[in-house]
Amino acid sequence: MRMATLTAGAAGLLLLAPMLWAGTIDTAFIEQPWPKQSVRAFEIGWDQVRWRQRASRADGIFAGVRFTVPLDQETAWALSNQYQDVGRMTPGVIAVRYLENQPTRQVIQMDVKVLWKTLTLTFEVEQDPPRAMRFRLVNKALGEYRGVCTFTPGPSAATTQMELATWLQPARRVPMGLLLYVQRVTFLDAARSFLKQCRQHPPVQQ
């Protein structure tokens, strides 16, 4: 349960803030359709959300959520890059430190409290404004975790299609069904929170 909470919570942060980078992070295998993936549609409020997942002991755990926000691409990107409220808005995160902070590169440490224990996670993030941000976490206890959040112009000038897709290769055997359930709940909650921020955002002046 601890690993499920940590990995899902960390990915949910991406919808609220970017993370870090140290060289090119390969996410091509995450962005394409996954063999034998399972796809479901959910409604959160007025919005339709597409969830996809795949789990394999050999290939790892894939999870992704896609939705459309009522903002243009540039505005959606800018809103997702407002990091100052990450600690306040995300359960379990008690401290956020920027070890490196450049326009397209960040190294971020987060202290995350899980039950009675506090863990320090260091993420790498690569940004390609306003199209994509890619992140990676390598941790002895958790394994390797990668993800990408993409921003694609929507069907109208005032909308953007966003997708957060992640891959986890656990360091040890984990209950995959439980992990996917926690990820789905966390991702959908993060999507709901971000969509709420988008609707509260002042209209963009044309």
Side-chain angles (χ1 to χ4, degrees):
M1 183 64 179
R2 179 179 300 166
M3 177 177 284
T5 303
L6 283 174
T7 55
L13 283 171
L14 281 178
L15 296 178
L16 303 174
M19 300 190 172
L20 65 86
W21 172 86
T24 299
I25 299 171
D26 179 18
T27 58
F29 70 104
I30 306 174
E31 298 175 53
Q32 63 190 9
W34 310 320
K36 300 180 181 179
Q37 69 179 15
S38 172
V39 180
R40 293 179 61 184
F42 291 91
E43 288 188 2
I44 50 176
W46 298 321
D47 300 288
Q48 291 283 337
V49 173
R50 177 180 180 265
W51 169 263
R52 61 185 181 128
Q53 67 181 50
R54 178 177 184 261
S56 163
R57 295 287 181 195
D59 301 329
I61 300 170
F62 296 78
V65 62
R66 186 174 70 186
F67 54 96
T68 300
V69 302
L71 295 173
D72 64 86
Q73 186 184 31
E74 294 279 355
T75 306
W77 173 270
L79 187 62
S80 76
N81 277 268
Q82 293 179 1
Y83 344 176
Q84 59 268 27
D85 291 332
V86 170
R88 180 179 60 81
M89 296 174 65
T90 307
V93 175
I94 58 177
V96 178
R97 295 178 296 277
Y98 295 89
L99 305 183
E100 185 173 347
N101 190 5
Q102 299 183 23
T104 59
R105 170 180 175 173
Q106 293 85 39
V107 176
I108 299 177
Q109 277 191 345
M110 291 184 291
D111 292 337
V112 182
K113 190 171 182 63
V114 181
L115 300 178
W116 60 88
K117 189 172 184 179
T118 298
L119 299 180
T120 298
L121 305 179
T122 302
F123 282 85
E124 303 174 62
V125 175
E126 177 185 78
Q127 298 180 3
D128 179 20
R131 292 175 291 274
M133 65 175 76
R134 295 173 175 85
F135 71 96
R136 175 172 55 204
L137 164 70
V138 179
N139 183 282
K140 280 188 175 182
L142 298 179
E144 184 173 358
Y145 191 47
R146 298 189 208 179
V148 56
C149 188
T150 57
F151 301 73
T152 306
S156 72
T159 61
T160 300
Q161 188 173 85
M162 291 181 58
E163 180 170 29
L164 170 64
T166 65
W167 167 78
L168 170 67
Q169 187 60 268
R172 59 176 66 90
R173 291 178 67 89
V174 295
M176 291 191 173
L178 174 61
L179 178 55
L180 283 169
Y181 171 76
V182 174
Q183 283 187 299
R184 185 173 73 243
V185 170
T186 305
F187 281 30
L188 294 179
D189 187 61
R192 180 184 296 108
S193 177
F194 189 74
L195 283 161
K196 181 179 179 180
Q197 289 184 63
C198 290
R199 291 202 163 83
Q200 293 174 345
H201 192 272
V204 177
Q205 297 297 321
Q206 301 294 331

